[in-house]
Amino acid sequence: MSRIGRLLETLAPIGRNEQGGYDRLAWTDADAGMRRWFLAEAASLGLETEVDRNGNLWAHWRRQPGGGLVVGSHLDSVPNGGALDGPLGVASAFAAIRSLKEAGETPASNVAVVAFVDEEGGRFGIACLGSRLMTGALDPDRARALTDREGVRLDDAMRAAGLDPDGLGPDPVRVASITAAVELHVEQGHLPIDGSDAAGLTAADAPLGVLTGIWPHGRWRIDVVGQADHAGTTPMADRDDPVVGAAAVVLAAREAAILEGALATVGRVEVEPGAVNAIAARASLWLDVRGADEGRIRRVVDRIAAAAGVDPVQESWTASMRFARSETRRIAAAVREVTGSEAPALPSGAGHDAGVLQAAGVAAAMLAVRNPTGVSHAPGESADLADIEVGVAVLARLLAGFPASGTATA
Ligand code: HGY
Ligand code: MN
Ligand code: MN
């Protein structure tokens, strides 16, 4: 079995649930299992490991003082997520290093494998938490006070996992030491291929693609307050039922997204008190809106606010961003060398730590591995091992060829 096949096999049981999905939420036991896996794999490769002030994991293959090329992704998942979103990038980085070491090849540049903390925001609600803290894009006090559905604070969850949350915050020296960053990631959805009518790598008959940028996207919380009362004694005409208001939000979101050519999702709804025989007091919804440009996203949110008479409160915003041409070109060249074919270029509808690094001025880029169904953030997420192995070979080529000085430009 290939290196990457073996690595993915060792990951497979960690955090898997009965539906075959993954619950690898930040600072949980499953996350601890993923972190142990990272440290053990790094140790087996003779890499020097560290946990930074924000809990991000690093494994260094150092050649000389100074910075270098960073590869990796994240190890956490959304609730009931897929096996590959995140871990594929970290495992592929380790497999690429192993292939170089076994071939007796040593990169000219320093190389570091990173696993950023809580990229999905699946437990505390803010995506790319570890990379945003590191780059100063998220206030550490705000982060410490985030709570999960049980009301557990992030800082308490970190302490329970053995880390000190008082250290959270910007890490400018570390960010400055990153010459360039490449994140390998399973393809998510089938997005339009640049300069083509095809959508997705399967339609383009390509095992790998180069992600050129990330669509803007944001998250909003909407609270609908009503009048709690008895389900069996309150006439319909006398009700102020917040769940009816919540339903109006969901329907308005779908209609607005279709009108504006955007994507709007309400994936989480909380009803209080949540009794079958009581009209609710409050319904809270979390709205995710994305699209090719910021304007259509803002129009969708405005339409929802007007149609449903609610006041969406923005919880996070990711501006539209393009990856560094120096690095997208480098990836494209490596794909050409390894496969003999051109890698299609396409945008990402999903957010990534590489996007946070690029926004912080690090030259970053992404390599996507074909996902036949495009399904992600669900147990059905998949990629063929043959395509994954090509991705590892390209990553190895990038590591081997990255110049010591690093000529990246953000
Ligand atoms: O939600 C996203 O776009 C990413 O998967 N965190
Ligand atoms: Mn991801
Ligand atoms: Mn994801």
Side-chain angles (χ1 to χ4, degrees), residues 85 119-120 127 188 217 219 288 290 349-351 377:
D85 174 352
E119 188 276 342
E120 297 292 1
Q188 296 173 293
H217 56 283
R219 296 184 185 191
D288 178 310
R290 314 197 185 200
H377 283 190

Side-chain angles (χ1 to χ4, degrees), residues 74 76-78 85-86 119-120 185 188 219 290 350-352 376-377 381:
H74 60 96
D76 66 298
S77 72
V78 295
D85 174 352
E119 188 276 342
E120 297 292 1
H185 205 284
Q188 296 173 293
R219 296 184 185 191
R290 314 197 185 200
H352 302 283
S376 184
H377 283 190
E381 185 181 79

Side-chain angles (χ1 to χ4, degrees), residues 129-222:
L129 185 121
S131 54
R132 286 182 200 248
L133 281 166
M134 183 182 80
T135 58
L138 175 64
D139 175 72
D141 287 335
R142 181 181 174 206
R144 278 185 276 265
L146 292 171
T147 57
D148 68 9
R149 298 173 195 215
E150 283 69 47
V152 175
R153 282 171 55 107
L154 183 140
D155 53 6
D156 291 332
M158 283 187 72
R159 280 189 202 94
L163 284 102
D164 171 14
D166 295 340
L168 291 181
D171 201 340
V173 173
R174 185 179 300 276
V175 174
S177 76
I178 304 173
T179 310
V182 173
E183 180 171 1
L184 179 147
H185 205 284
V186 64
E187 181 187 17
Q188 296 173 293
H190 288 162
L191 270 71
I193 304 288
D194 293 3
S196 154
D197 295 337
L201 296 175
T202 301
D205 190 24
L208 302 176
V210 179
L211 297 181
T212 52
I214 296 178
W215 279 1
H217 56 283
R219 296 184 185 191
W220 288 260
R221 174 176 172 147
I222 296 169

Side-chain angles (χ1 to χ4, degrees), residues 350-362:
H352 302 283
D353 293 306
V356 173
L357 294 179
Q358 180 68 47
V362 172

